[in-house]
Amino acid sequence: MGEARPAGTAPSAHFVTGSTLRHVVVMGATGSVGLMAIFVVDLLSLLYIARLGDPTLTAAVGFATIVQIFAVSINIGMMIAVGALVSRALGRGDVGQARRLAASALVLSVAGSAAVTALLLPLLDPALRLIGAGPETVPAARTFLWIALPSTMLMAIGMGFSGVLRAIGDARRAMMVTLAGAAVTAVLDPVLIFGLGLGIEGAAITVVLARLAFAWVGYSGAVSVHNMVARPDAAAILADAGPILRVALPTVLTNLAPPVASAFLAHVMAGFGTATVAGNAVVDRVVPVAFGGLFALSGAVGPILGQNWGAGRFDRMRAALRDAALVTGLYVAVVWLALFLGRGPLTALFGLEGAGADLLGFFCLAGGAIWFFNGLLFLGNASFNNLGFPLAASALNWGRATLGTMPPALLGAHLAGPEGAMAGMGIGSALFGVMGLALAFRVVGVLERREAVAGLEADGRQTVERPVS
């Protein structure tokens, strides 16, 4: 699983054999290491900004992150699309199609990222005000975004290569892609923020350089080592655009829902003052560090499902979903205990006081329950995106972002302040999480019945066409 392959040699679709639990754990664990490394250094970056002693800057980075998520969602959608299509092609043994689809998807991903960046940059001020940024935080957030936002095109390249590596099962090199960006951030953030005195501008410059490393290491693994990305061809891109966008557009739509929910929650929190906004910004950075394994797990299960669908192994698809749900529960239990025990030191570390400290403390007490159900929804979405039902993922994610977030968050805020808003959002997560996993198993059954019907029809045609002796 790591050796270089000459062009035209099909990588082994090894997810169709062996223990599904082992595949889930290995892919999820390696993905977690890479993702959580990025999330940890992002948290450190926010900590460095917080150490500057100005809560306005901490809040500004929080608002800037929300805006960036909209652009990053395009990249995530394209990464999921390339992983789904490449893994499916490899499951059928068609390496040529897999390489061509990878190239086409990468080009489309960069184009989409460039378009979103060009749209957002002129609208930064109204966008920041819309999600609750006040006049004191808008200038700092705007400065950060003008530097960092264009680098989402580099991130599109890196995430596309990472999706290719996961599709072929090279979990180690996919992990190294994200570790490279994390390493650059860990080294340069304190140098630029404090050493050169660049403050929030230094944090934004580090984001750009980290994404450059992200793209370079991804290229080295997917192209130089595995040769799994063909040379882009205009005719192929046009031919592949339809199949790619049929997966990518609903997936992008799905991934735009969480930032909408986060933006709405940030708007609600802004009504309770700057201290609450700063506390919510810390929660937003703690969440990926604490529960980054759930993001990685949903990314891990997709290629496993895709390869087994291509091979017609529906029993293994069900087993992979069951194993992933089990790992989700065990992971959340461990993280929840750690948050419970560490809520005091964590609050002190970021210098939060008053309402901000109360909000972070409540998250440490209740976040585990909320994110267990979010994890189940992630598994459902990964199944829908990789098995040809991306609109189901869009419907569930937007359902959670609207019906599952807005009314309960507003009601909770009215009854119990910022903590009530967070609790209300958690109730919506529970409903949609259970629904998502249940529907994922149903999708596997639908696909199995379709294949059985297709097989019977093929047998019937052969019987009719067979000459009578």
Side-chain angles (χ1 to χ4, degrees), residues 15-16 20 23-24 83-84 87-88 91 297-322 324 378-387 440-441 443-444 447:
F15 294 142
V16 302
T20 54
H23 290 320
V24 167
S87 65
R88 202 178 307 166
L297 189 60
S298 64
V301 78
I304 298 171
L305 292 172
Q307 285 194 11
N308 281 285
W309 182 27
R313 293 298 308 272
F314 298 99
D315 57 326
R316 292 180 60 80
M317 294 165 71
R318 291 190 183 89
L321 283 174
R322 288 193 296 269
F378 293 165
L379 294 180
N381 288 339
S383 304
F384 305 139
N385 289 328
N386 284 272
L387 300 179
F441 280 101
V443 161
V444 175
L447 294 175

Side-chain angles (χ1 to χ4, degrees), residues 283 286-287 290-291 332-347 356-373 419 422-423 426:
V283 169
V286 170
V287 160
F291 298 106
V332 168
V334 172
V335 172
W336 196 356
L337 178 62
L339 287 173
F340 176 79
L341 296 175
R343 63 191 186 278
L346 193 61
T347 302
D358 292 341
L359 184 63
L360 180 60
F362 179 78
F363 166 77
C364 291
L365 293 174
I370 296 171
W371 279 89
F372 170 70
F373 292 108
E419 293 84 357
M422 186 175 290

